[in-house]
Amino acid sequence: MTQTGCSDKATRQASLETPMEIESMMGESEPDIEATSDPAELYTLTAPSGLSVAWLAYGATLQSVRLPDGTHILARLNDPSNYTEAHPYIGPMIGRVANRISGASFAIDGTPYTVPANEAGHALHGGPEGFDRVVWDVAREGDELVFRHTSPDGHQGYPGNLDVTLRTRLSDRELRLQIIAITDAPTPVSLTHHGYWNPASLFGRPIDQLRLTSSADRYTVTDEALIPTGEIAPVDGTPFDFREMRAIGPTSMDVNLLVPGEGLRKMARLTDGVTTITLLSDYPGLQVFTGETLAGVGGMAARAGLALEPQYSPDSINRPVEGEDTILRPGEVYRHTIIYRFDGPDFETNPNEFESDAP
């Protein structure tokens, strides 16, 4: 398996020699507070700049992102207890497999597996009991807020025990997520964060006038059920070409864009002309969804926020894209980074403040 989106996955199996080394990469350290399982408790991080974020143990959900002036730029439910009810993936972590698995079935090394279908006969975002629907263990470890979840062998039909750690850290203008996973049996893994962003904080109207940029030059062609056909096409002449900054417009999108390059790099920039959200990651793809399902949820309008989901291509377990079959095997470590960088009048101009290595 060649994972071009992950900076060191291809060589990691050979370099890991002991279980202790794997445990240290998962971040097994003494937490500052005991782990909790209260799904409605908010965990808030605030940077010296005044930028703050709040998390929930339920779904490892990013419940809010608030700028120094108090403006919320992430779609949210005001009452944390409402996250246990049905909603269109507002802020949680997604797994075991983000996006869609065609026919809710796949095979690994000749062994067939069936998982629950929750969208027109297909599996979406890990199924009806995905990682967004479990209470994660959470602890503060130094300046990080750390979430952990073990998905047991056979849960929803997926093979192998999968141990997942999400390490989060906030600086003056960046929120960094590091996702780590190990397994004791081959299993498909594609983990991401699913939030709806609106730098204008106008969640009562569509995002049509927001401007988007992405260097993605190809996209995954899908059928009417959003299942990949196997074709990878250039974005030229399509509504998915954002190589030059332009308004999102009224076109509905739920598309996987392929971003050229390897390692941590800019995936997209979203702006209202005042506040800018820059997304950086080392995943190969970026799902862009215009949020039609937000209609009426928490008083929001349809298309009130734009979902930007770094991940592997949909249905890669059945239709690998450039060798990406998303199978994690024992002895390998799945590790990816997602960074949200915020710019605007509330932040002093100081490029040395940025933690990330990408330009």
Side-chain angles (χ1 to χ4, degrees):
M1 175 179 172
T2 303
Q3 295 204 20
T4 56
C6 187
S7 58
D8 55 0
K9 166 69 170 64
T11 61
R12 195 171 292 132
Q13 185 173 8
S15 66
L16 291 177
E17 297 180 352
T18 66
M20 184 61 70
E21 186 173 356
I22 294 178
E23 289 179 3
S24 69
M25 296 181 75
M26 294 289 286
E28 295 293 335
S29 59
E30 190 69 25
D32 291 343
I33 61 173
E34 293 183 0
T36 182
S37 59
D38 182 353
E41 183 174 353
L42 282 175
Y43 298 88
T44 301
L45 300 175
T46 302
S49 65
L51 175 69
S52 68
V53 299
W55 292 87
L56 292 167
Y58 188 78
T61 296
L62 183 57
Q63 192 266 345
S64 73
V65 175
R66 189 172 62 182
L67 300 180
D69 67 357
T71 300
H72 288 274
I73 57 174
L74 183 73
R76 65 194 180 106
L77 303 178
N78 290 326
D79 185 346
S81 65
N82 289 341
Y83 281 87
T84 59
E85 302 174 2
H87 62 78
Y89 304 101
I90 299 177
M93 286 298 297
I94 300 296
R96 287 188 187 191
V97 179
N99 218 304
R100 293 161 177 85
I101 298 177
S102 63
S105 62
F106 55 89
I108 298 178
D109 301 333
T111 301
Y113 296 92
T114 300
V115 296
N118 59 332
E119 187 189 66
H122 309 291
L124 173 66
H125 289 334
E129 298 179 18
F131 291 178
D132 61 301
R133 291 286 155 187
V134 299
V135 179
W136 294 54
D137 291 328
V138 57
R140 295 181 189 269
E141 296 180 4
D143 60 354
E144 293 185 324
L145 191 63
V146 182
F147 299 83
R148 293 187 174 91
H149 172 61
T150 296
S151 177
D153 179 31
H155 184 246
Q156 294 196 111
Y158 288 99
N161 295 291
L162 183 71
D163 292 329
V164 181
T165 296
L166 169 66
R167 309 188 71 86
T168 75
R169 185 173 55 174
L170 186 69
S171 66
D172 271 350
R173 61 173 73 192
E174 287 188 356
L175 174 62
R176 177 185 290 258
L177 314 182
Q178 186 180 39
I179 308 165
I180 310 168
I182 57 175
T183 183
D184 59 6
T187 189
V189 181
S190 180
L191 309 172
T192 193
H193 172 258
H194 196 301
Y196 297 89
W197 299 92
N198 188 327
S201 192
L202 298 174
F203 293 99
R205 68 187 194 191
I207 54 174
D208 300 7
Q209 298 306 310
L210 296 181
R211 299 195 292 276
L212 178 67
T213 309
S214 176
S215 61
D217 55 2
R218 296 175 298 157
Y219 73 101
T220 303
V221 179
T222 60
D223 62 19
E224 63 279 0
L226 298 177
I227 300 300
T229 64
E231 179 185 0
I232 304 298
V235 298
D236 304 71
T238 74
F240 314 134
D241 188 352
F242 290 95
R243 289 172 294 182
E244 298 289 335
M245 180 175 287
R246 64 176 178 84
I248 294 171
T251 301
S252 296
M253 286 184 287
D254 197 353
V255 61
N256 178 64
L257 302 178
L258 297 174
V259 181
E262 296 185 7
L264 189 64
R265 62 207 187 282
K266 288 182 182 177
M267 305 287 279
R269 298 187 73 184
L270 180 66
T271 185
D272 66 344
V274 178
T275 300
T276 299
I277 303 166
T278 302
L279 172 64
L280 304 98
S281 186
D282 52 9
Y283 276 105
L286 176 68
Q287 190 78 14
V288 178
F289 173 46
T290 43
E292 282 73 14
T293 53
L294 291 174
V297 179
M300 290 183 283
R303 301 169 56 84
L306 186 70
L308 298 169
E309 311 158 53
Q311 58 188 250
Y312 288 101
S313 296
D315 203 28
S316 289
I317 185 64
N318 292 312
R319 296 175 176 84
V321 175
E322 298 177 346
E324 308 286 2
D325 60 10
T326 68
I327 299 174
L328 181 69
R329 297 181 180 275
E332 297 178 339
V333 176
Y334 178 105
R335 185 163 59 180
H336 281 286
T337 300
I338 299 172
I339 295 173
Y340 304 102
R341 177 187 294 171
F342 310 103
D343 293 285
D346 293 323
F347 300 98
E348 295 181 4
T349 302
N350 182 359
N352 294 325
E353 290 179 353
F354 296 142
E355 295 179 1
S356 56
D357 299 325

